[in-house]
Amino acid sequence: MKFWMMISCVALGLVAAAAELNYSVDDRGALTVQMDGRTLLDGETLQLMDAEWGTISAPLKAQLQRKKEGNVERCIWASDRAVVSRSVEKLADGRLRIGWSMKFVNGIPGGRYIELSYFAPKGSFAYAEQGRRKIAASAKAMVIETAAGKLNIEFSGASTPWAFEDMRSEKWHGNFRLILAWNYDPAAVNVVESTMVLSGTPAEGK
């Protein structure tokens, strides 16, 4: 009976279709993610900062190396302070898998905080403006309401939670951001690995 009901739902078009996710990488290695043609993530920054949030190191400004490994597109940035790798893969079921490996050397003078942040254009998300706030935070999964439908993100690797934040009231930002932040330990080699898998559900009526 359950099997027949599932077939009937499919036949009637009651099972939600997945939204189309695509990505591109520019000459600097910046990643753009779109869902049904609407840009949701538009470039990222990785910064080591001091106690006053001043930038000490920006590893993604190092010379870029690009590699294609089957269906995986990999970008690598290496400097004397950090080695960073990001992989992007479109899976057979249409989801996107994005993986990060970030290694900072120890003993960087003044180092206090590390942030990996994606720029998320304000016109692409369905949230009323209520000042700066954390809309969602998790080390496992979150659902973000966008103008194109629901963006579902599953996280693995890092135990530190990712956060989706409304930064529209901040003059220096003015949009949303998806961010992973942690403390830098000057006495240790700081290695963080994090993977996220993105899928989408179209808005009703699309």
Side-chain angles (χ1 to χ4, degrees):
M1 177 64 70
K2 290 182 179 178
F3 181 69
W4 170 247
M5 288 177 64
M6 182 175 70
I7 294 177
S8 298
C9 288
V10 173
L12 293 172
L14 300 179
V15 177
E20 183 179 6
L21 289 172
N22 289 295
Y23 78 92
S24 62
V25 178
D26 70 13
D27 293 340
R28 298 174 293 108
L31 174 67
T32 297
V33 174
Q34 293 187 328
M35 185 166 78
D36 285 347
R38 183 179 289 270
T39 298
L40 302 184
L41 303 178
D42 194 16
E44 62 273 88
T45 61
L46 175 63
Q47 299 180 88
L48 170 64
M49 294 170 286
D50 60 21
E52 302 300 322
W53 303 99
T55 300
I56 294 175
S57 178
L60 302 190
K61 292 185 179 180
Q63 185 173 354
L64 171 65
Q65 302 176 52
R66 297 181 68 165
K67 296 182 179 180
K68 187 77 171 178
E69 302 164 349
N71 197 37
V72 179
E73 188 167 354
R74 189 177 305 278
C75 289
I76 301 169
W77 299 265
S79 67
D80 59 344
R81 290 183 167 182
V83 177
V84 178
S85 173
R86 187 202 62 219
S87 62
V88 187
E89 179 183 9
K90 187 162 186 178
L91 303 177
D93 59 8
R95 296 180 298 163
L96 289 182
R97 179 162 57 204
I98 303 168
W100 283 93
S101 176
M102 298 162 283
K103 178 180 179 181
F104 288 81
V105 302
N106 65 347
I108 299 176
R112 188 72 175 272
Y113 310 112
I114 303 174
E115 289 185 352
L116 171 63
S117 179
Y118 282 93
F119 180 86
K122 62 184 179 182
S124 295
F125 297 90
Y127 295 99
E129 189 165 353
Q130 299 178 15
R132 180 173 180 173
R133 65 188 177 113
K134 187 176 293 184
I135 295 172
S138 177
K140 297 296 183 182
M142 67 174 64
V143 179
I144 301 171
E145 299 288 343
T146 84
K150 296 181 186 295
L151 176 64
N152 312 296
I153 310 178
E154 300 174 25
F155 303 104
S156 61
S159 58
T160 303
W162 284 81
F164 186 70
E165 298 177 343
D166 186 348
M167 304 291 288
R168 287 174 292 181
S169 64
E170 300 292 329
K171 292 182 179 179
W172 59 272
H173 196 284
N175 290 272
F176 294 89
R177 69 179 179 181
L178 179 65
I179 185 170
L180 179 68
W182 66 99
N183 293 332
Y184 172 76
D185 182 355
V189 175
N190 293 253
V191 179
V192 171
E193 295 186 344
S194 182
T195 299
M196 55 183 179
V197 177
L198 283 62
S199 60
T201 305
E204 292 185 9
K206 292 189 176 181

